[in-house]
Amino acid sequence: MKTLKYLMGAVSVALLAGGIQSCKPKSADTAISGDAAAKTYVAPGKYDEFYNFVSGGFSGQLSVYGIPSGRLLRVIPVFSQDPEKGWGFSEETKPMLNTSHGSVPWDDLHHVQLSKTNGENDGRWVFVNGNNTPRLARIDLKTFRTAEILELPNSGGNHSSPFITENTEYVVAGTRFSVPLDDADGDVPINTYKKNFKGTLSFVRVDQKDGNMDIAFQIETPGVNFDLSRAGKGPSHGWFFFSCYNTEQANTLLEVNASKNDKDFIMAVNWKKAEEYLKAGKGKKVKVKYAHNKYSEVSHTSSSEFKNEVIVLNSKELKDLCYFIPCPKSPHGIDIDPTGEYMVSSGKLAALIPVFSFSKMIKAIESKSFEGDYSGIPVIKYEAALYGEVQKPGLGPLHTEFDGRGNAVTTMFVSSEIVKWNIKDLKVIDRQPVYYSPGHLMIPGGDSKKPDGKYLIAYNKITKDRYLPTGPELAQSAQLFDISGDKMKLILDFPTIGEPHYAQAIRADKIKDQSIKIFKLEENKHPYASKGEAQTKVMRDKNKVHVYMTAIRSHLTPDNIEGIRIGDEVYFHLTNLEQDWDVPHGFAVKGANNGELLVMPGETQTLKWVPDRVGIFPIYCTDFCSALHQEMSGYVRVSPAGSKVALIGNTGTNMPAE
Ligand code: RUQ
Ligand code: CUA
């Protein structure tokens, strides 16, 4: 890395690299006000005020915290296998990780969006993005489980996603890396970026009844990197805004070559116009392949379907669809204020924060105040769309949220602080150090029409000396601030899982009562369910053995299984017969190349096991479910291939020994 820089001999490289690394805030000792403990104290047995859904970054998962206590309530597996819950290990959940590349059991989850109605969080679903193998996922907030994963074709990394419109009409996904489209010959020299690489913005429609997603259309754009996005709201509903960097179209050493232009762009997309073009048949059908995976809580199984076509609208050919607004130096976040009039963009390398006006942008388009075009797309004059600039906000602005009282708060990665400023006069009114280098920040409802401006959390990239040392890596830190007064006050540090990027929070009373407690056994439509011990059995179909099994405190039925032979594939289909809240049973068998099963009341899940040797194999429940949990166990006998041992499965009835 170093050698490369010196070889390049570019002074600006060193300057840039030095400049964008973080520096410590001056006063590393924060003044914690005396009432901080009282403000975050949630007495034992009492509930938190908010659910906080926090992206897990490279853990591929979504975690749920209580705010203000900072208690970790749950980790929801999404793109990554999770042996704790059997996610991606059970036969039922494996198809959820299908993609056109085969099973992809990991991803890099960056952004979180709660579904909205009239621009306010409604508590139905949470959407998240997979940044590596481009995917979107939807989590159902009745079960707190992943219900759907949709792959995105024609994309090279799904970063500016999964931002949504004010009534959850669309979830969008802009490609981070431009690449040749899937139906083009991709076997081209990398240095033909300018000619062969294209961007796409995917508009995914959400069915308002069941939440199911599908790609409505894509917009093909010039090859640039799309970083983040936000939908308009109120007056700007119907528009989407994307931050773009690498408008230099560099394909190597981006840290220098994509930082040359003084200004990159915000791309404004008129999606109502796109709908008109779509209706008028202006889209072109493009051959692609992408997976669409859905989980059913009725059959307790998932389905994975491959689709092979998308409709693509061309941003260059279709007039009035897309516009560029120049924006200083590699913008990262783009955030829309609660009124829908102001678009705040944070340029990582800029020393100011430009605030654009939606109404000025519309006037500029009407009066054609363009400074030219970029790859055939009109570029609006900077001044014509600009409302004003926040001067000297701090170094390395990344993301902005709103408090609902006319203020915005922006994270400063380089100067390690959060900075509050007034949207009308663009004056900085407060700044507080954070430890260290904040990426995203979050105010509950802070991207909505009605923010709940009581708390703010900074999600920091670097922890260093904040926690007890734990070897070379430390958990990332979140820092909770009370923002109800004029000054933002730090009141709590808590660690997070993986690397948090964005997070959102919602008042607990908006979802806690809809959270389901059990799956009703009588509604279980799993093809291998046993709805009572009388239905359990062991069936052979050539070399496949299906064990229809039940679990109830405190035994498995059957718990003695014989007649399994080397060469068999054994499927343990475990139904949890409990109909009581918070009584899962687990299942494991010695030597299984797999995770455990963790089966909820009323649910059926399947563990596949291929025994590799002759002998007796213990099986047991992995979840301490009762005083006799340690007794909840059994044995499987494995005999040599071709053995004549009869296939049996029973509990409590001893067969005579042979
Ligand atoms: S990012 S730290 Cu992947 Cu949202 Cu800005
Ligand atoms: Cu069932 Cu332990």
Side-chain angles (χ1 to χ4, degrees), residues 40-77:
T40 61
Y41 184 68
V42 176
K46 291 279 182 278
Y47 290 158
D48 274 292
E49 278 176 80
F50 292 91
Y51 284 100
N52 182 201
F53 296 91
V54 184
S55 68
F58 42 70
S59 83
Q61 298 170 332
L62 180 71
S63 34
V64 188
Y65 291 83
I67 298 300
S69 73
R71 290 172 182 161
L72 174 64
L73 303 176
R74 182 153 189 83
V75 175
I76 303 174

Side-chain angles (χ1 to χ4, degrees), residues 164-166 230-241 271 336 340:
I164 62 171
T165 49
E166 64 179 26
R230 288 290 186 177
K233 46 174 144 352
S236 53
H237 179 63
W239 288 78
F240 239 106
F241 304 92
W271 59 262
I336 316 299

Side-chain angles (χ1 to χ4, degrees), residues 110-111 159 228 332 398-399 439-440 461 501-502:
H110 282 217
H111 302 123
H159 194 261
L228 281 142
H332 186 56
L398 289 185
H399 296 283
H440 279 272
K461 300 296 188 192
H501 290 255
Y502 194 35

Side-chain angles (χ1 to χ4, degrees), residues 4 110 160 263 357 419 463 503 516-517 625 643-644:
L4 187 61
H110 282 217
S160 54
K263 291 203 172 64
S357 148
V419 175
T463 307
I516 69 149
K517 296 191 162 77
C625 50
S643 148
K644 291 278 175 303

Side-chain angles (χ1 to χ4, degrees), residues 20 41 139 152 161 168 205 208 223 248 265 276 294 331 334 355 393 473 487 512 562 601 635:
I20 56 176
Y41 184 68
I139 290 107
L152 299 164
S161 173
T168 320
R205 206 190 306 279
Q208 295 305 306
E248 297 86 349
F265 295 128
E276 287 171 25
K294 290 188 223 168
I334 168 82
V355 179
E473 200 198 3
K487 291 265 167 220
K512 74 176 178 23
E562 298 192 359
Y635 299 97

Side-chain angles (χ1 to χ4, degrees), residues 406-540:
N407 305 310
V409 186
T410 303
T411 47
M412 301 294 161
F413 180 84
V414 178
S415 51
S416 279
E417 55 189 338
I418 50 173
V419 175
K420 176 160 125 180
W421 49 275
N422 182 276
I423 305 170
K424 273 269 149 350
D425 65 19
L426 308 178
K427 292 265 176 342
V428 171
I429 36 190
D430 187 25
R431 58 176 72 239
Q432 294 298 331
V434 298
Y435 306 91
Y436 304 93
S437 300
H440 279 272
L441 78 172
M442 188 282 306
I443 292 172
D447 74 331
S448 73
K449 279 185 176 169
K450 285 222 184 93
D452 225 317
K454 181 170 177 187
Y455 300 114
L456 175 150
I457 301 177
Y459 299 93
N460 307 324
K461 300 296 188 192
I462 295 166
T463 307
K464 297 274 196 215
D465 53 1
R466 295 299 287 184
Y467 296 149
L468 280 173
T470 51
E473 200 198 3
L474 292 112
Q476 319 268 336
S477 86
Q479 296 194 291
L480 177 70
F481 287 78
D482 172 358
I483 57 161
S484 56
D486 289 343
K487 291 265 167 220
M488 303 180 285
K489 285 190 191 140
L490 177 60
I491 53 175
L492 185 72
D493 274 17
F494 61 95
T496 64
I497 290 176
E499 181 191 355
H501 290 255
Y502 194 35
Q504 293 209 316
I506 183 167
R507 281 207 160 271
D509 49 26
K510 279 205 178 171
I511 45 179
K512 74 176 178 23
D513 297 328
Q514 72 181 21
S515 177
I516 69 149
K517 296 191 162 77
I518 58 160
F519 296 107
K520 289 196 185 118
L521 196 57
E522 73 262 23
E523 290 169 9
N524 181 329
K525 296 245 159 48
H526 192 291
Y528 292 96
S530 316
K531 296 194 189 177
E533 290 179 4
Q535 294 180 14
T536 60
K537 58 191 171 190
V538 186
M539 306 287 284
R540 173 177 289 284

Side-chain angles (χ1 to χ4, degrees), residues 17 27 85 119 191-192 221 299 326 335 358 395 489 496 498 539 642 648:
S27 59
K85 301 164 191 88
N191 65 15
T192 60
T221 71
S299 67
D335 296 286
F358 177 73
L395 299 175
K489 285 190 191 140
T496 64
M539 306 287 284
I648 58 154

Side-chain angles (χ1 to χ4, degrees), residues 195-241:
K195 180 166 159 236
N196 291 316
F197 290 34
K198 301 283 178 240
T200 50
L201 307 172
S202 303
F203 281 72
V204 172
R205 206 190 306 279
V206 179
D207 185 307
Q208 295 305 306
K209 272 197 279 345
D210 55 20
N212 280 332
M213 303 185 281
D214 210 351
I215 302 173
F217 59 89
Q218 293 187 316
I219 298 177
E220 180 185 323
T221 71
V224 291
N225 289 36
F226 289 101
D227 209 1
L228 281 142
S229 71
R230 288 290 186 177
K233 46 174 144 352
S236 53
H237 179 63
W239 288 78
F240 239 106
F241 304 92

